[in-house]
Amino acid sequence: MSTGPGAASAPAPDRRETPSATPRKASMFASLKVRNYRLFFMGQVVSNIGTWMQRIAQDWLVLSLTGSSAAVGITTALQFLPMLLFGLYGGVLVDRLRKRPTLLVTQSAMALTALFLAVLTLTGHVQVWHVYVAAFAMGLATVVDNPARQSFVSELVGRDQLSNAVSLNSANFQSARLVGPAVAGLMITGVGTGWAFLANGLSFVAPLSCLLLMRARELHTVERAPRGKGQLREGLHYVAGRPDLIWTIVLVGFIGTFGFNFPVFLSAFADDVFDAGAGSYSLFNTLMAVGSVAGALLAARRGTARLRVLIAAALLFGALEIVAATAPSLWLFALLMVPIGLFSMTVNVTANTSIQMSTDPAVRGRVMALYMMVFLGGSPVGAPIVGWVTDTYGARVGFAAGGTVALLAAAVTGLVLARLGNLRLALGWHHGHPRVRFVERERREALAPAA
């Protein structure tokens, strides 16, 4: 990958993603050998559990205050709205600022927001508008925190271990998804919602302490963008000149908007299709989290971020959603959640890593902000559409429709990237097995038998 001015041109996708002729597999936990990243990872373990606790507590509090599912939806929308409105501006700030001090500020702001809710709830003064304000404030902090955390990883481990570190971050977050909601449920039932908010607020002590303990001299130097006019436009122009980035973001946008609406799909299957209640909904989410952790660890093991892996995972993800939509029994549906979680995480990690590794460090914050804006901002847009389809035509049709969109988006993106990379489909045999792959046009023609 070139990080100089020439990086704005888009070479063949497969050439970009394979810097050496024979990519070697990384150790699954290779990046944890780096002291600064190890500190970052440990801080995130604690903070991610707290984050999942707050998500559950926040929804439960709003539901208990209003008795309205629509109010829960408003809370979620308010938390994601700042990313949709200001995400690109957050990326401009991240490219200008030093990442570690920026994260100290954003993480502190998120801690104070959680503690604000904790005090109001524990003293019995909380009202639903307080939760709305807190959700919006948390979203504002995320506008800067998210691209800063994404970009900071490359400063912690460097390019060689970036893919492994991004994958471990995803495994970290998904592992917390197995623990946080369970702990939150016990805490809400046992001592009340306010204590879950307090626990999340205090959990930020871990990442803040770990950031302060890092050795600045061991960070990898990354060029920062100077202050100036037109930097937002410059970031968009950079992406516009890179079809590999554009189509990766487009793919993730379609899948995130229509294929990742699992709260809508899984709750509808648990309640309407199988009439099995909240216990089955929890089971579906748990099994999907297991698959997601496995997908993140496998991505860490690969050590590379190939666009063909992204396309294949997206195709399989869409196909599995369609298959799951037709599952005749609860247990078959539940078992399919594991591979769906695995391939959804493979799409997420591979797209994230490939964008970071092929982007000039000077604009990485803006590019990652655009990526996160499309990925996270798609949910508030897609959820009402998917919800309407599910309510009108049934859960099976809704789930199948989401899978179909993902499948078509992956197929179109794969064909476009192959065409841009001057690639063609090649059929052959490898160790006695049929093999389908993309190869360069010139090479395929050279392999063709003479007339």
Side-chain angles (χ1 to χ4, degrees):
M1 178 200 75
S2 169
T3 56
S9 60
D14 268 7
R15 282 179 233 157
R16 172 178 296 280
E17 67 202 15
T18 52
S20 59
T22 308
R24 66 181 173 82
K25 287 188 176 181
S27 166
M28 188 174 289
F29 302 102
S31 51
L32 289 176
K33 296 176 183 177
V34 180
R35 180 182 181 275
N36 281 345
Y37 178 74
R38 191 163 60 246
L39 285 167
F40 180 81
F41 186 88
M42 290 188 296
Q44 291 300 306
V45 168
V46 179
S47 182
N48 284 336
I49 291 174
T51 297
W52 279 107
M53 291 176 65
Q54 171 132 342
R55 286 189 180 187
I56 300 300
Q58 179 177 275
D59 291 348
W60 187 260
L61 176 61
V62 171
L63 194 61
S64 63
L65 288 173
T66 65
S68 168
S69 296
V72 177
I74 291 171
T75 308
T76 303
L78 285 171
Q79 192 156 333
F80 286 107
L81 185 62
M83 180 63 75
L84 198 59
L85 296 177
F86 312 118
L88 292 175
Y89 296 98
V92 172
L93 284 175
V94 167
D95 280 336
R96 291 177 182 173
L97 302 172
R98 289 187 298 157
K99 307 300 184 294
R100 187 163 64 139
T102 301
L103 287 172
L104 287 169
V105 172
T106 57
Q107 297 276 295
S108 297
M110 295 166 86
L112 290 174
T113 302
L115 293 174
F116 164 76
L117 267 183
V119 170
L120 288 175
T121 307
L122 290 172
T123 57
H125 293 95
V126 70
Q127 298 179 37
V128 69
W129 71 267
H130 294 141
V131 187
Y132 289 164
V133 169
F136 189 76
M138 193 73 77
L140 284 175
T142 303
V143 165
V144 177
D145 184 80
N146 221 315
R149 274 191 298 110
Q150 301 283 343
S151 303
F152 189 48
V153 175
S154 63
E155 295 187 25
L156 293 170
V157 300
R159 173 179 167 78
D160 290 345
Q161 298 189 65
L162 179 60
S163 177
N164 179 263
V166 170
S167 302
L168 289 181
N169 282 352
S170 298
N172 185 331
F173 187 74
Q174 293 299 325
S175 298
R177 182 181 175 184
L178 294 172
V179 178
V183 175
L186 292 173
M187 190 169 286
I188 292 169
T189 304
V191 293
T193 308
W195 293 98
F197 294 132
L198 180 61
N200 182 46
L202 296 177
S203 76
F204 283 97
V205 172
L208 290 170
S209 300
C210 289
L211 285 168
L212 292 171
L213 289 171
M214 289 178 185
R215 295 170 182 163
R217 65 181 182 276
E218 294 178 7
L219 294 174
H220 294 255
T221 303
V222 173
E223 178 187 357
R224 282 186 287 145
R227 295 180 64 87
K229 295 182 178 179
Q231 290 182 322
L232 176 57
R233 185 169 59 251
E234 178 189 352
L236 294 174
H237 180 72
Y238 177 86
V239 174
R242 293 283 304 279
D244 56 324
L245 296 181
I246 291 174
W247 283 97
T248 299
I249 292 172
V250 166
L251 174 60
V252 169
F254 272 103
I255 293 178
T257 301
F258 298 102
F260 278 7
N261 284 290
F262 297 118
V264 175
F265 298 140
L266 302 188
S267 59
F269 266 82
D271 189 35
D272 300 333
V273 177
F274 298 121
D275 194 24
S280 63
Y281 177 61
S282 176
L283 174 66
F284 298 156
N285 279 282
T286 300
L287 290 173
M288 185 172 289
V290 170
S292 297
V293 172
L297 292 176
L298 287 173
R301 177 65 176 167
R302 278 195 300 273
T304 57
R306 298 177 180 277
L307 289 177
R308 65 171 177 255
V309 173
L310 171 63
I311 300 301
L315 287 168
L316 288 168
F317 170 77
L320 281 167
E321 284 203 334
I322 295 171
V323 171
T326 64
S329 69
L330 184 149
W331 287 107
L332 179 57
F333 182 85
L335 289 174
L336 285 169
M337 292 303 102
V338 176
I340 286 175
L342 188 152
F343 288 113
S344 70
M345 185 51 57
T346 302
V347 169
N348 189 351
V349 172
T350 307
N352 186 314
T353 308
S354 65
I355 288 175
Q356 289 207 52
M357 293 183 71
S358 59
T359 300
D360 190 319
V363 295
R364 185 173 288 151
R366 280 165 281 181
V367 175
M368 290 308 298
L370 176 62
Y371 169 80
M372 297 308 299
M373 185 184 76
V374 171
F375 182 56
L376 296 178
S379 292
V381 175
I385 298 173
V386 170
W388 175 82
V389 172
T390 301
D391 287 342
T392 305
Y393 300 103
R396 293 190 185 277
V397 173
F399 204 13
T404 301
V405 171
L407 190 66
L408 292 175
V412 171
T413 302
L415 291 173
V416 170
L417 290 176
R419 187 175 181 82
L420 289 171
N422 198 33
L423 303 175
R424 295 183 67 180
L425 196 67
L427 305 176
W429 292 85
H430 182 71
H431 297 309
H433 299 286
R435 186 179 189 183
V436 181
R437 56 179 177 152
F438 284 106
V439 298
E440 296 178 20
R441 289 178 184 271
E442 294 80 1
R443 183 180 172 190
R444 186 181 187 277
E445 290 164 3
L447 291 174

